[in-house]
Amino acid sequence: MVIPWFRWTVLLAAPVLLSPLLFVFDDSAPRCAYVVLIMAVYWTLELLPLPVTSLLPVVLFPLLGIASTNDTAVVYMKGTNMMYLGSLMIALAVEESGLHRRVALKAMLLAGTSPTRIMLGFMLPTAFLSMWISNGATAAMMVPILEAVLAELGLSIKEKTMMMLAVAYSANIGGTGTIIGTPPNLILMEFMTQYTDHPLNFGSWMVFTIPSVLMNLLILWVVLQLYFMRPNPKQLFKKAKVDPESGVTKVIQESYDGLGAMTFHEIGVLGLFSTLVIIWFMRKPGFLPGWAEALQWTTASGSTVSIGSATPTILIVMLLFIIPANPAKDPSGPALLQWDAVQRKFPWGIILLMGGGFALAEGAKVSCLTHQIGAALEGLGHLPPVLILLVLCLVTSIISQIASNTATTSMLVPVVLAMAQSLHINPAYLALGVTLTASHAFMLPVSTPPNAIVFSAGGLAIKDMAGVGAILNILCISTTFLCLHTYAGVMFDLDTVPGWANVTVTKTNMCL
């Protein structure tokens, strides 16, 4: 939390100290840079609530002659934001039905009763659920269950710390597994829409990220044990005997039994959610024509009316509000998702936060700031791409420890894409590395919502989180490098600059 006097000082001083950008240069690019830098300071230090800072372009872009109010405001609800809005509502329906709790408890029952196997039993369902629903919501659900289990285990303080951090870090890692898992993934996808026929889609993203998620979870499981328990490495993979009469098993079994039989509410939500995942996969599967191409319209003028992922997402959301949760007993009763639940629990701020990032990128584009940044970075062309990526990932990792990963991605990805164009590097190569690194923030409670939730539960010291978090940051960057330079290089042709990456070159001629 920023102390009051510092908050007020920086809140007022930042616009004043950066004001020479408004008067020294007679160009819209420096004026846009003024807005970008103010938002970077406000976002990083959280001088205002993050969604409030995200609204600054609506105020400053028109006043500074960068873009009109209408042109700025419309960017806040792009198709990507609409898709995320819908996916968050579907995730909320999963939570309201209790389906996520059933999945988590069932996975834990299968894990075993030794501390390390219990930890793995928490890590896997946490990571899996974080691929589909908010990682913060996943952590908030798992922590009370973990606390009940810890009360039965009688572990040392270090072992309890290890278990708590396992939940937070698994949620961070799992969020990278799908496009909808965490906002940075969708932010990257939105910025990639400027490239026609780029290779990233729901299916290719999962094919790329699932191996890295599994590797990072294994690394997390091993590192936490070595850091907090320092066991004989041979003991890490030793199979423990499961005692069905243990207190731990009883706690989990009682919680699972308390759910009762699977209800129509859960089945209905699961069915609709599974249908949507299949639709997302089949929109543009790559190995055969997708439904988006088959259903594509052409107007009288010859332009194409494309169907994005937001369209089926919102259709499924509407069905959630239509289908009753218990049609057999109460067909006119509550639906699978109720609007009052959306009003109470929906994280509207994240939609504004993403929109603010898109507005900044649009302003940088129309003011030619993006082009000027790219031109300024051309001097780095003599460096090998792998070194450029390493520097970018390290910078991203440092920033994301103290700033929201959503804000970090919104600030850095447009710069990275401009850099890739200037240096003739595949944009996906740099952007994927930066995006994944932004979500691998393990060192501080403020780094991610799961970190904050686990830390607020009590019993954790920042030195423990920072110590093991620094090790995990480095190792996760290493796995990202490994993936990008092995199978991902073949999947996305990362060693070359493909034709789709050159499409935007002609669009910057007005900035020359």
Side-chain angles (χ1 to χ4, degrees):
M1 181 68 181
V2 180
I3 56 178
W5 65 265
F6 178 78
R7 174 178 177 271
W8 279 105
T9 300
V10 179
L11 195 65
L12 299 175
V16 175
L17 294 176
L18 293 170
S19 61
L21 288 170
L22 301 178
F23 307 110
V24 174
F25 306 98
D26 185 20
D27 189 5
S28 61
R31 295 196 296 272
C32 184
Y34 174 80
V35 180
V36 171
L37 291 174
I38 287 178
M39 291 183 66
V41 172
Y42 284 14
W43 266 339
T44 303
L45 299 178
E46 294 191 48
L47 302 177
L48 293 172
L50 297 180
V52 175
T53 298
S54 303
L55 293 172
L56 278 176
V58 179
V59 178
L60 295 179
F61 278 2
L63 292 177
L64 297 178
I66 298 169
S68 69
T69 301
N70 283 342
D71 289 342
T72 303
V74 74
V75 178
Y76 280 78
M77 194 51 78
K78 287 191 170 186
T80 300
N81 260 6
M82 188 64 75
M83 177 187 176
Y84 195 54
L85 181 148
S87 65
L88 286 174
M89 288 190 181
I90 294 168
L92 183 57
V94 171
E95 294 177 42
E96 289 292 295
S97 70
L99 178 62
H100 63 321
R101 186 175 177 85
R102 185 181 297 275
V103 171
L105 290 171
K106 187 63 176 179
M108 285 182 275
L109 281 173
L110 301 174
T113 56
S114 70
T116 55
R117 289 175 68 87
I118 290 173
M119 181 171 74
L120 186 63
F122 274 90
M123 287 171 56
L124 294 178
T126 299
F128 175 76
L129 291 171
S130 293
M131 292 168 59
W132 310 104
I133 65 177
S134 159
N135 54 15
T138 302
M141 178 200 70
M142 298 297 286
V143 166
I145 302 174
L146 177 58
E147 288 177 330
V149 170
L150 291 178
E152 298 289 334
L153 286 175
L155 300 177
S156 66
I157 293 177
K158 281 193 172 183
E159 289 173 323
K160 289 181 179 179
T161 299
M162 175 186 73
M163 303 278 272
M164 283 289 196
L165 291 179
V167 168
Y169 296 163
S170 298
N172 293 340
I173 291 170
T176 64
T178 64
I179 287 176
I180 63 169
T182 188
N185 303 352
L186 278 165
I187 290 170
L188 170 60
M189 291 300 296
E190 174 58 34
F191 287 136
M192 289 295 290
T193 57
Q194 64 185 291
Y195 304 105
T196 305
D197 297 327
H198 69 83
L200 295 179
N201 55 55
F202 197 90
S204 65
W205 181 281
M206 288 192 69
V207 172
F208 165 58
T209 56
I210 293 301
S212 70
V213 167
L214 295 176
M215 282 190 287
N216 287 333
L217 287 174
L218 177 61
I219 289 170
L220 172 63
W221 188 64
V222 173
V223 168
L224 286 178
Q225 293 180 67
L226 292 175
Y227 188 88
F228 289 103
M229 298 172 62
R230 293 179 173 83
N232 180 340
K234 292 182 180 179
Q235 299 295 317
L236 291 178
F237 301 97
K238 185 177 180 180
K239 187 174 181 180
K241 293 182 179 179
V242 179
D243 179 10
E245 300 301 321
S246 69
V248 174
T249 303
K250 286 182 179 179
V251 168
I252 299 175
Q253 186 66 56
E254 287 174 2
S255 298
Y256 184 79
D257 292 342
L259 297 176
M262 200 168 185
T263 64
F264 180 85
H265 193 172
E266 294 172 88
I267 295 172
V269 171
L270 177 61
L272 289 175
F273 178 69
S274 301
T275 300
L276 180 59
V277 170
I278 294 172
I279 291 173
W280 280 337
F281 266 110
M282 298 306 296
R283 179 179 181 271
K284 192 178 179 182
F287 55 87
L288 53 82
W291 58 261
E293 183 179 342
L295 300 178
Q296 193 168 269
W297 289 83
T298 303
T299 65
S301 61
S303 60
T304 300
V305 179
S306 60
I307 305 174
S309 297
T311 297
T313 304
I314 298 301
L315 173 60
I316 295 296
V317 168
M318 296 183 73
L319 292 176
L320 287 171
F321 285 103
I322 294 171
I323 300 173
N326 192 349
K329 294 183 178 180
D330 191 4
S332 60
L336 296 175
L337 181 60
Q338 293 289 97
W339 184 251
D340 62 340
V342 176
Q343 288 181 307
R344 284 185 286 107
K345 297 182 177 181
F346 192 86
W348 298 103
I350 195 67
I351 302 298
L352 292 178
L353 183 54
M354 291 174 63
F358 297 153
L360 274 186
E362 187 66 20
K365 177 182 175 182
V366 300
S367 68
C368 296
L369 177 61
T370 300
H371 174 77
Q372 292 185 16
I373 291 173
L377 295 172
E378 286 182 353
L380 299 176
H382 66 282
L383 297 175
V386 64
L387 181 58
I388 295 174
L389 178 62
L390 176 61
V391 172
L392 288 173
C393 287
L394 290 175
V395 170
T396 302
S397 183
I398 292 170
I399 295 175
S400 64
Q401 305 307 319
I402 58 175
S404 156
N405 58 4
T406 304
T408 301
T409 311
S410 297
M411 290 186 289
L412 293 181
V413 168
V415 176
V416 165
L417 294 180
M419 178 186 293
Q421 183 174 310
S422 297
L423 302 182
H424 305 290
I425 299 173
N426 191 316
Y429 175 70
L430 299 182
L432 283 170
V434 166
T435 302
L436 294 181
T437 301
S439 293
H440 295 148
F442 306 112
M443 291 182 64
L444 296 172
V446 299
S447 301
T448 65
N451 292 10
I453 289 168
V454 166
F455 187 80
S456 65
L460 300 184
I462 289 183
K463 64 181 179 66
D464 288 329
M465 183 176 280
V468 72
I471 296 171
L472 290 169
N473 284 338
I474 294 171
L475 291 175
C476 285
I477 289 176
S478 301
T479 58
T480 299
F481 265 67
L482 177 64
C483 295
L484 287 174
H485 291 92
T486 52
Y487 64 90
V490 177
M491 282 180 60
F492 303 132
D493 201 16
L494 298 180
D495 295 332
T496 63
V497 182
W500 59 261
N502 295 318
V503 171
T504 56
V505 172
T506 56
K507 296 181 181 180
T508 61
N509 288 341
M510 63 180 181
C511 297
L512 298 177

